[in-house]
Amino acid sequence: MVLVSRAMSTADASGLTELRDALRQFAEEREWDQYHSPKNLASALAVEAAELLERFQWLTEDESRNLPPTELAKVREEMADVLNYLVRLADKLDVSLLEAARDKIKVNALKYPVDKARGSARKYSEL
Amino acid sequence: MVLVSRAMSTADASGLTELRDALRQFAEEREWDQYHSPKNLASALAVEAAELLERFQWLTEDESRNLPPTELAKVREEMADVLNYLVRLADKLDVSLLEAARDKIKVNALKYPVDKARGSARKYSEL
Amino acid sequence: MVLVSRAMSTADASGLTELRDALRQFAEEREWDQYHSPKNLASALAVEAAELLERFQWLTEDESRNLPPTELAKVREEMADVLNYLVRLADKLDVSLLEAARDKIKVNALKYPVDKARGSARKYSEL
Amino acid sequence: MVLVSRAMSTADASGLTELRDALRQFAEEREWDQYHSPKNLASALAVEAAELLERFQWLTEDESRNLPPTELAKVREEMADVLNYLVRLADKLDVSLLEAARDKIKVNALKYPVDKARGSARKYSEL
């Protein structure tokens, strides 16, 4: 159990680490680091997130839960773009995404205690 | 070498998988699944990406490369929000983020061949 | 009728022109022109549009049609932010917003002919 | 002077009013009101703002101040999309955009007093 847990913890971020390295190489080969300032990467990330949103903007919520396969394929590609820019930005800023995500869940658990937040979509400042 | 590689491949997405499970539990405890349609999650993701961008909007590119620690901490938190909504959306759509990201890199390698894209920020359709 | 129409056409953009001037003065007094490059203004505009979206992200479409007054007041303020940055960007790029908007309607009328687009939310490239 | 001012005030929003009417007719002819909930329009607005940002994302600030004519034409078209969705949303929510914008400038004048905000890009909460 301990061994498994340690192994997982060691390899924990390996998927994202490999992805980071692949993206790093991709940018280096194309001499794109000159464009990849954190400011620009944050812009590109926001643009890709909006392209993802565009696939859903005229759908009902129910339709968005039942995408036809060709549409899901496009959505999946936009999600990849978002992740790739996020990983690239994390690389430039030396941020561990998984640690940051776990830390944020802890913060949110305090902001949104179960008994107050249950069934409510209100922002923590309005709970 | 083979063993390591296989171990990594097995545990490859374990970080993101654990994160997915933690987020799933977080939403279940708060009965938030009713709000988490893919359409709504895509909106929330775009909003978080914009909050991340906000931290950079008046900075020069150089300033964005040299964030003071307090500012970096806020940026890191916004990146966590982006990842968490992306993982949540992937869960709802049953998308493997790492596979999608790897597939997209292959697509981009064809769209942006090294000899044409080197040193250029132009879109593939304008290369 | 002709007189009215000419008067309107003369004063046509006067509301936006006055707004442009007020925003110009606001920025000058604060020495903010140094930050207001078109690139930065476009970022700020996207950030404000996302803050507007944030007010709607967990609402149903029906709820979004029936905002309580306090919520509508916040939405109205975010819409103002969007318009103000858009007018500021138009000033910096010397673009006439109303002319641009009218021209775009003509373009869209060709992209979305009534008989093809009626009742459909599909993008023009998919009609 | 008073007459001119009153005439301007009467016709003040006439450009935006005409635009609102043109967009209203455009949507009606295509039976698009069913899709134009405030929630969906806010999404569409955010998407268009991101498409505008996309034109700038890899440019330096200086490059963004000196767009070549073909690029400016594309930027102008994206700005038109932003305005059109904003006017459409204002129509659905019965918001006067110009009044809202003027009111917001007054709010911002209090948030950003000249002596504190001069030459600073900091947010009002951090001044």
Side-chain angles (χ1 to χ4, degrees):
Chain A
M1 202 52 190
V2 167
L3 276 178
V4 169
S5 159
R6 191 181 302 154
M8 285 187 79
S9 150
T10 308
D12 208 20
S14 74
L16 288 174
T17 305
E18 282 172 22
L19 183 57
R20 180 202 67 192
D21 291 344
L23 292 167
R24 206 185 267 184
Q25 189 189 336
F26 195 93
E28 270 172 22
E29 285 169 356
R30 284 158 187 79
E31 298 174 13
W32 280 357
D33 282 279
Q34 58 184 315
Y35 305 112
H36 285 189
S37 63
K39 179 187 174 89
N40 287 1
L41 290 169
S43 277
L45 176 58
V47 167
E48 295 300 338
E51 290 183 5
L52 174 58
L53 177 58
E54 189 184 9
R55 312 301 321 181
F56 294 105
Q57 67 187 346
W58 305 122
L59 302 187
T60 64
E61 291 186 59
D62 264 354
E63 286 169 341
S64 82
R65 289 188 191 94
N66 297 286
L67 299 176
T70 54
E71 191 54 27
L72 179 57
K74 288 172 193 163
V75 164
R76 182 178 178 271
E77 202 164 322
E78 301 296 353
M79 294 174 74
D81 286 331
V82 171
L83 182 60
N84 284 341
Y85 277 122
L86 182 63
V87 167
R88 192 85 186 113
L89 179 60
D91 188 15
K92 291 292 183 183
L93 295 176
D94 205 16
V95 162
S96 162
L97 282 174
L98 285 173
E99 277 178 30
R102 284 184 210 119
D103 289 350
K104 191 58 197 289
I105 292 179
K106 285 175 205 157
V107 169
N108 281 343
L110 296 174
K111 276 183 175 174
Y112 296 95
V114 169
D115 59 327
K116 277 196 178 175
R118 191 183 290 125
S120 163
R122 269 178 294 181
K123 206 167 174 173
Y124 68 95
S125 49
E126 295 163 12
L127 276 179
Chain B
M1 201 53 188
V2 167
L3 277 178
V4 169
S5 159
R6 192 182 302 155
M8 286 186 77
S9 151
T10 307
D12 208 20
S14 74
L16 288 174
T17 305
E18 282 172 20
L19 183 58
R20 180 202 67 192
D21 291 344
L23 292 167
R24 207 185 268 184
Q25 191 189 336
F26 194 94
E28 270 171 21
E29 285 170 355
R30 285 159 187 78
E31 298 174 12
W32 281 357
D33 281 279
Q34 57 184 315
Y35 304 114
H36 286 190
S37 63
K39 178 187 175 90
N40 287 1
L41 290 169
S43 276
L45 176 59
V47 167
E48 295 300 339
E51 290 183 4
L52 174 59
L53 178 57
E54 189 185 8
R55 311 301 321 181
F56 293 106
Q57 66 186 348
W58 304 122
L59 303 186
T60 64
E61 291 186 59
D62 264 355
E63 287 168 340
S64 81
R65 289 187 190 95
N66 296 286
L67 299 176
T70 54
E71 190 54 27
L72 179 57
K74 287 172 193 163
V75 164
R76 182 179 178 272
E77 202 164 322
E78 300 296 353
M79 294 173 73
D81 285 332
V82 171
L83 183 59
N84 284 341
Y85 276 122
L86 183 63
V87 167
R88 192 86 186 112
L89 179 60
D91 188 16
K92 291 292 184 183
L93 295 176
D94 204 16
V95 161
S96 161
L97 282 174
L98 285 173
E99 276 177 32
R102 284 183 209 119
D103 288 351
K104 192 57 198 289
I105 292 179
K106 284 176 206 157
V107 169
N108 281 342
L110 295 175
K111 274 183 174 172
Y112 296 95
V114 169
D115 60 326
K116 277 195 178 174
R118 190 184 291 125
S120 163
R122 268 177 296 181
K123 204 166 176 173
Y124 68 94
S125 49
E126 295 164 12
L127 277 177
Chain C
M1 201 52 189
V2 166
L3 277 177
V4 169
S5 157
R6 194 181 300 154
M8 286 187 75
S9 150
T10 307
D12 208 20
S14 74
L16 288 175
T17 305
E18 282 172 21
L19 183 57
R20 180 203 65 193
D21 291 344
L23 292 167
R24 208 185 265 184
Q25 190 189 334
F26 195 94
E28 270 172 21
E29 285 170 356
R30 286 160 186 76
E31 297 174 13
W32 281 357
D33 282 279
Q34 58 184 315
Y35 304 113
H36 286 189
S37 62
K39 179 187 174 90
N40 287 1
L41 290 169
S43 277
L45 177 58
V47 168
E48 295 300 339
E51 290 183 4
L52 174 58
L53 177 58
E54 189 185 10
R55 311 300 322 181
F56 294 105
Q57 65 186 348
W58 305 122
L59 303 186
T60 64
E61 291 186 59
D62 264 355
E63 287 168 340
S64 82
R65 289 188 190 96
N66 297 287
L67 299 176
T70 54
E71 190 55 27
L72 179 57
K74 288 172 193 164
V75 163
R76 182 178 178 272
E77 202 165 322
E78 300 296 353
M79 293 173 73
D81 286 331
V82 170
L83 182 59
N84 284 342
Y85 277 122
L86 183 63
V87 167
R88 191 86 186 112
L89 179 60
D91 189 16
K92 290 293 183 182
L93 294 176
D94 204 16
V95 161
S96 162
L97 282 174
L98 285 173
E99 277 177 31
R102 284 184 209 119
D103 288 351
K104 191 58 197 289
I105 293 179
K106 285 175 205 157
V107 169
N108 282 342
L110 296 174
K111 275 183 175 173
Y112 297 94
V114 169
D115 59 326
K116 277 196 178 174
R118 190 183 291 124
S120 162
R122 267 177 295 180
K123 204 167 176 173
Y124 68 92
S125 49
E126 295 163 12
L127 278 178
Chain D
M1 204 48 191
V2 167
L3 277 178
V4 169
S5 159
R6 192 181 303 154
M8 285 186 78
S9 152
T10 308
D12 208 20
S14 74
L16 289 174
T17 305
E18 282 172 21
L19 183 57
R20 180 202 67 190
D21 291 344
L23 292 167
R24 208 185 265 185
Q25 190 188 336
F26 195 94
E28 271 172 21
E29 286 170 355
R30 285 159 187 78
E31 298 174 12
W32 281 357
D33 282 279
Q34 58 185 314
Y35 305 114
H36 285 190
S37 63
K39 179 187 174 89
N40 286 1
L41 290 169
S43 277
L45 176 58
V47 168
E48 294 301 339
E51 289 183 7
L52 174 58
L53 177 58
E54 188 185 10
R55 311 301 321 182
F56 294 105
Q57 66 187 348
W58 305 123
L59 302 187
T60 64
E61 291 187 58
D62 264 354
E63 286 168 342
S64 82
R65 289 188 191 95
N66 297 285
L67 298 176
T70 55
E71 191 55 26
L72 179 57
K74 288 173 194 163
V75 163
R76 182 179 178 273
E77 202 164 322
E78 300 295 354
M79 293 173 74
D81 287 331
V82 170
L83 182 59
N84 284 341
Y85 277 122
L86 182 63
V87 168
R88 192 87 185 111
L89 179 60
D91 188 16
K92 291 291 183 183
L93 295 175
D94 205 16
V95 162
S96 161
L97 282 175
L98 284 173
E99 277 178 30
R102 284 184 210 118
D103 288 350
K104 191 58 198 288
I105 292 179
K106 285 175 204 157
V107 169
N108 281 342
L110 296 174
K111 274 184 176 172
Y112 297 94
V114 169
D115 60 327
K116 277 196 179 173
R118 191 183 290 125
S120 163
R122 267 177 297 180
K123 206 167 174 171
Y124 68 93
S125 49
E126 294 163 12
L127 277 179

